[in-house]
Amino acid sequence: MANPANDPSPARAPAADGTGGTTHRKDDENVVDLIGRLTSQSAHLAQQQVSLVQAEMRETADDIKKGVGSMLGAAVLGISGLGVTLMGIAYLIGDAIGDRDLATLLVGLAVLLIAAIVYFGAKSKLNTANAKPERTIETAERLPHAAQGETHTRTGA
């Protein structure tokens, strides 16, 4: 009859931590713990990605609001400037040069030129607004490397 103390089977071998369990069972617990932590960290990462997208979209929305506000300001300036020009300043210049019609045309064109400059400045602000969440995309591209344990991606050659 075999001596149980000399039996090398893993089911009867005491665990290395002295708990009386088996090494096989301890390894299973480690895998379960690792899977649980991986699941928890994946959920946390997903929440962070959503927060990053929201922050980038807020930044973009603010840029668009500023651009639209500038365009509206340019429109108000253009309309009011045209009205004031046609009703006031043109009469004064017309009296000074002796031709009210020519003075009205020149002053109106000058105000419209200023309005166009403001408009194109606002348009360039809108063109620079980027609705694409670039930082989120960059982070998502690094995710497979991070899941494999790589903390830094290689750049260059």
Side-chain angles (χ1 to χ4, degrees):
M1 183 164 168
N3 184 355
N6 295 334
D7 188 4
S9 68
R12 295 186 186 191
D17 63 359
T19 60
T22 65
T23 355
H24 181 70
R25 181 169 175 87
K26 183 67 176 168
D27 289 343
D28 285 346
E29 289 175 355
N30 285 338
V31 170
V32 170
D33 290 342
L34 287 174
I35 291 173
R37 282 192 287 166
L38 177 63
T39 303
S40 173
Q41 289 175 354
S42 296
H44 180 69
L45 180 61
Q47 288 173 339
Q48 288 180 331
Q49 289 296 320
V50 168
S51 296
L52 181 60
V53 169
Q54 289 173 341
E56 287 187 54
M57 294 309 288
R58 274 192 295 271
E59 287 178 14
T60 301
D62 288 343
D63 291 343
I64 291 172
K65 285 178 190 176
K66 289 176 186 175
V68 168
S70 294
M71 284 185 146
L72 289 174
V76 169
L77 179 64
I79 291 169
S80 64
L82 180 62
V84 169
T85 300
L86 293 175
M87 296 175 79
I89 300 174
Y91 280 107
L92 295 174
I93 295 175
D95 288 342
I97 64 172
D99 189 355
R100 199 173 277 168
D101 294 337
L102 179 61
T104 302
L105 179 63
L106 292 176
V107 172
L109 290 174
V111 171
L112 288 175
L113 179 64
I114 293 170
I117 291 168
V118 173
Y119 172 80
F120 286 115
K123 186 176 178 183
S124 71
K125 285 181 187 177
L126 286 177
N127 288 340
T128 60
N130 187 5
K132 184 178 178 182
E134 292 178 6
R135 292 179 295 208
T136 302
I137 292 170
E138 179 184 323
T139 303
E141 288 172 351
R142 289 192 315 247
L143 186 61
H145 298 291
Q148 294 172 358
E150 299 175 27
T151 56
H152 298 290
T153 58
R154 294 181 184 169
T155 57

